[in-house]
Every structure is written in C-alpha cells, then in structure tokens.
Amino acid sequence: MSDILVVKLGGSTIADQAQVLGEVAVVARRRPVVLVHGGGRRITEWLERLGVPSTFEGGLRVTDAASLEVAAAVLRGVVNSELVAGLRDLGVDAVGLSGVDGGLLIAERIPAMGLVAHVVGLRRDLLDAVLVGGQVPVVAPLARDEHGFCRLRGAGSSDRGEIKRNLDASPWVLTRCQGVRTRWR
C-alpha cells in the first residue's frame, strides 16, 4: 500500500468540517486516506455540560478517570461517528476506529498528565487491511498502554505523526488551525 495520505482534522462540529470532508472525499476516490481526528473543543463542551472539572498543565488537559470517560464517549461516540457518517454521505466507504480497536495504537503514559499518553507504535496490518478493502479508516485519539485505557495528548497530535511515519505516508494536513491548510496532491 503506497501513496497513503494521512489527514488530521480537529474536533469541531461536522458542519464546520463540511468543506474539508468534501475535499477528503475527492482525494479518497483517487488514493488511500487515513483520517485522524481530535476533539478537544468538543470534550471541553461536554465536560462543562456534565459538570466534570478540568485541570490543565502547560496548556494540556490532565485527564482523570471521569474526564477519560467523557473524552472516550465524545471522541469515539460523537466526533468519530459524525465524521464517518459525513464521509459516507459523500459516497466514501469510511470505517470508524479508535486506537484501542484491535490494539491499533500502542501508547505510553505522559508523567504528571494523568491518563494521557503518546503513541509509540501501531499495528500496520490492521490499517492495511482496512485500506486494501477500499475503506477510509477514521481514527479517534484513544489507545491502551501497559496500564489500561488512555487519551492521546494534544487531540491526536502524536497519533497522526506515528501513523504517518509507520505508513511511510504523504504529509498530513492540519485543518483546525486558522489559515493552515495544504492543498492535496
């Protein structure tokens, strides 16, 4: 599997991502795409809505058990499902995954950040199986480490880089940051 493009989307609402999803759909018809998403803004909204307090260290959320439960529900249940449905509405055969599914992403905890981790490896065979089947994997930033379930830092910052490196993929694209977008090749 070559010529893979790894795309990073922020976790804003599906309405905010409509144009980008349309571009992803066009590219996915020509070449393999792995879509990795974040969701920090959506997690914050849900934590506030549910009255779960947040703690930040150096600008990053320190994730405790209660925050992780909300983060997992939002990332895998809300954001991932919206993105998969949005791509499928555009005629793209997308499949939702998290780094936990099939042990896709292997993580290591970040000291003093609670249940937050960064990616140290991935199961390429699992992503290859999805890609060879003509599907677009949509990956939520959740994983397991030797101690259990964890959220990946920076709303997917480390997982997209690890996926890109392990797949020898084309440069990934940031779409959440104002004014930052690379045109597809």
Side-chain angles (χ1 to χ4, degrees):
M1 182 76 32
S2 61
D3 206 26
I4 299 167
L5 180 69
V6 177
V7 178
K8 164 48 168 104
L9 289 179
S12 53
T13 66
I14 193 70
D16 295 338
Q17 300 288 4
Q19 179 184 351
V20 174
L21 282 182
E23 293 175 14
V24 170
V26 169
V27 173
R29 290 184 188 96
R30 295 190 317 247
R31 65 191 282 190
V33 172
V34 175
L35 182 65
V36 181
H37 67 81
R41 190 176 342 160
R42 300 288 292 280
I43 293 169
T44 299
E45 290 170 6
W46 276 91
L47 288 170
E48 289 172 358
R49 186 181 303 174
L50 297 171
V52 178
S54 294
T55 305
F56 291 86
E57 182 73 34
L60 295 174
R61 186 186 323 275
V62 177
T63 302
D64 60 13
S67 297
L68 179 60
E69 187 173 330
V70 173
V74 170
L75 293 169
R76 184 65 169 100
V78 178
V79 177
N80 192 276
S81 296
E82 286 177 350
L83 292 171
V84 169
L87 286 170
R88 293 190 63 81
D89 287 348
L90 294 168
V92 174
D93 193 7
V95 61
L97 297 169
S98 78
V100 175
D101 299 326
L104 175 62
L105 299 176
I106 302 152
E108 186 176 273
R109 298 268 166 104
I110 300 171
M113 295 302 297
L115 302 172
V116 177
H118 65 270
V119 174
V120 295
L122 77 99
R123 283 194 51 205
R124 173 152 186 172
D125 63 320
L126 183 56
L127 278 182
D128 281 345
V130 173
L131 292 167
V132 166
Q135 297 172 310
V136 172
V138 179
V139 182
L142 301 164
R144 287 187 53 87
D145 70 356
E146 62 188 32
H147 305 291
F149 193 53
C150 48
R151 181 181 66 81
L152 297 171
R153 75 178 163 93
S157 297
S158 63
D159 54 335
R160 68 179 178 256
E162 186 66 19
I163 290 172
K164 179 187 159 311
R165 186 182 67 74
N166 276 273
L167 294 177
D168 192 28
S170 296
W172 42 272
V173 181
L174 277 174
T175 58
R176 190 179 92 178
C177 299
Q178 187 71 7
V180 177
R181 184 184 281 152
T182 301
R183 269 285 173 218
W184 320 105
R185 294 181 199 171

